[in-house]
Amino acid sequence: MRKIIIDTDPGIDDAAALALAVFSKELDVQLITTVAGNVGLDKTTYNALRMVSLWDARIPVAAGAARPLSGPVYDAAEAHGESGMDGFTFDAVTARTVPMHAVEAMRRVLMRSEEKITLVPIGPLTNIALLFSTYPEVKEKIDEIVLMGGAFLRGNITPMAEFNIFADPEAADIVFKSGLPLVMCGLELAQMATITGAMVGALREKNPTARMVCDLFEHYRGGDLENGMRMYDSTAICYLLAPELYTTKDCFIGIETASPLTRGMTVCDLEGFWGREPNGKVCTAVDPEGFRRLFLEGLENASGAPENPTAAMWLYDC
């Protein structure tokens, strides 16, 4: 099982992505960290705890940054609802956060691991940037970064910027300059990675997770039930599970932090105009049918106790 840390801002599409990862037989989720993004930090953290409680998963949750490194706070409550996960009634929350900041929790998990761990950020990159700035020694313990964010064409929060990068461009700049292997699953993939309400509805009675996703979809504004909901964050999880479904291009990726017109833009030099050394792998396409098959099979199998055999539950005793 591949060890991963998921940094997230749940968020309806985050909930689906977390379910795929937590119940996968191929991924060992060591830690879930939360960041402000789709909604505020208190809500993203509470949503993560609600899901861990629903699944009775032995995976620690650590709360992280409540605001970007600089600039104003943005959210996407218009797409995800006021709570971030409107539409499903969760049982009582039994999980709790670890007694430390997400950055410290990530450092401890990384430095204690005997094998390298993959970071999977599916929200703004504030926590990851703080980790690298505060504890640069952790880089030697990281296998790669597989993130959902950015775009190589147009944006969804401004004409040129995708939400996760726009929410904290300075943090993204630090992460993309980290020197670590990096895979960018950007905005364009979500146009191909769509799931209809009927697809999920057919699985609704299979397990509580499928029921949760089905109910959340009815309140999601990331597409529509008939033509397909855009599964932004699940593209990063599915890349981990089946990279052969993706078309990729190694290239230089720069983050615009200065211009008010293009702030938060991921400038992907796919044609090599600048002749600069690639610092990332951009996913330019995903097989739609392969993605749907992987997503729906993952949701159908999201029952019973998830297996994350080496999750860092010891953090609760620190």
Side-chain angles (χ1 to χ4, degrees):
M1 298 178 75
R2 183 177 188 175
K3 291 185 176 182
I4 67 172
I5 293 172
I6 301 178
D7 188 64
T8 180
D9 59 338
I12 290 172
D13 63 316
D14 303 72
L18 282 168
L20 295 183
V22 167
F23 285 95
S24 169
K25 303 296 185 184
E26 300 173 44
L27 303 177
D28 186 1
V29 183
Q30 299 286 290
L31 170 68
I32 295 170
T33 55
T34 59
V35 66
N38 287 322
V39 286
L41 180 67
D42 55 341
K43 294 177 181 178
T44 63
T45 303
Y46 183 60
N47 289 339
L49 293 173
R50 290 202 286 179
M51 286 183 288
V52 168
S53 299
L54 173 70
W55 299 326
D56 195 23
R58 289 182 55 78
I59 303 172
V61 175
R67 59 176 303 110
L69 298 183
S70 67
V73 176
Y74 296 95
D75 68 35
E78 74 283 354
H80 297 267
E82 182 63 27
S83 73
M85 289 178 62
D86 287 356
F88 181 75
T89 302
F90 288 86
D91 293 333
V93 174
T94 56
R96 57 190 175 88
T97 57
V98 300
M100 65 191 72
H101 193 279
V103 169
E104 179 62 23
M106 284 191 283
R107 182 192 73 84
R108 295 192 186 199
V109 172
L110 287 164
M111 298 309 293
R112 180 163 164 166
S113 178
E114 294 182 358
E115 60 192 87
K116 289 189 176 183
I117 296 175
T118 297
L119 300 186
V120 189
I122 54 177
L125 291 166
T126 314
N127 286 337
I128 310 301
L130 288 171
L131 175 68
F132 292 166
S133 299
T134 309
Y135 301 116
E137 65 273 15
V138 303
K139 292 182 182 180
E140 65 183 30
K141 307 291 285 189
I142 295 169
D143 182 30
E144 68 176 337
I145 303 167
V146 177
L147 64 88
M148 189 281 129
F152 61 86
L153 294 175
R154 304 284 291 182
N156 68 342
I157 188 70
T158 73
M160 299 309 297
E162 180 273 334
F163 174 81
N164 284 347
I165 305 300
F166 180 78
D168 197 340
E170 283 73 21
D173 189 48
I174 291 171
V175 173
F176 277 77
K177 289 178 177 176
S178 67
L180 290 166
L182 183 147
V183 179
M184 184 182 108
C185 298
L187 195 61
E188 293 80 10
L189 296 184
Q191 313 302 323
M192 311 170 202
T194 57
I195 303 292
T196 67
M199 292 174 186
V200 174
L203 301 176
R204 191 178 192 281
E205 301 308 319
K206 290 286 186 178
N207 56 62
T209 301
R211 191 177 310 120
M212 173 193 75
V213 172
C214 188
D215 289 353
L216 292 176
F217 270 19
E218 294 180 0
H219 292 258
Y220 186 35
R221 296 296 176 265
D224 65 77
L225 289 171
E226 182 176 352
N227 296 308
M229 313 299 286
R230 294 187 286 271
M231 293 292 95
Y232 299 98
D233 295 330
S234 293
T235 60
I237 304 301
C238 288
Y239 178 87
L240 296 173
L241 298 174
E244 67 275 9
L245 295 176
Y246 292 72
T247 303
T248 64
K249 177 75 172 180
D250 293 327
C251 71
F252 173 77
I253 308 165
I255 308 298
E256 177 59 67
T257 59
S259 169
L261 290 176
T262 57
R263 178 172 168 80
M265 180 182 179
T266 42
V267 184
C268 303
D269 188 12
L270 296 174
E271 304 302 325
F273 291 116
W274 291 330
R276 300 181 66 171
E277 190 72 20
N279 62 339
K281 188 185 299 290
V282 176
C283 295
T284 58
V286 62
D287 173 28
E289 290 306 316
F291 173 86
R292 292 185 189 110
R293 182 174 61 253
L294 195 61
F295 182 96
L296 295 170
E297 286 176 356
L299 200 57
E300 185 173 9
N301 294 327
S303 59
E307 297 179 13
N308 299 97
T310 64
M313 295 300 289
W314 48 269
L315 286 170
Y316 286 101
D317 298 324
C318 294

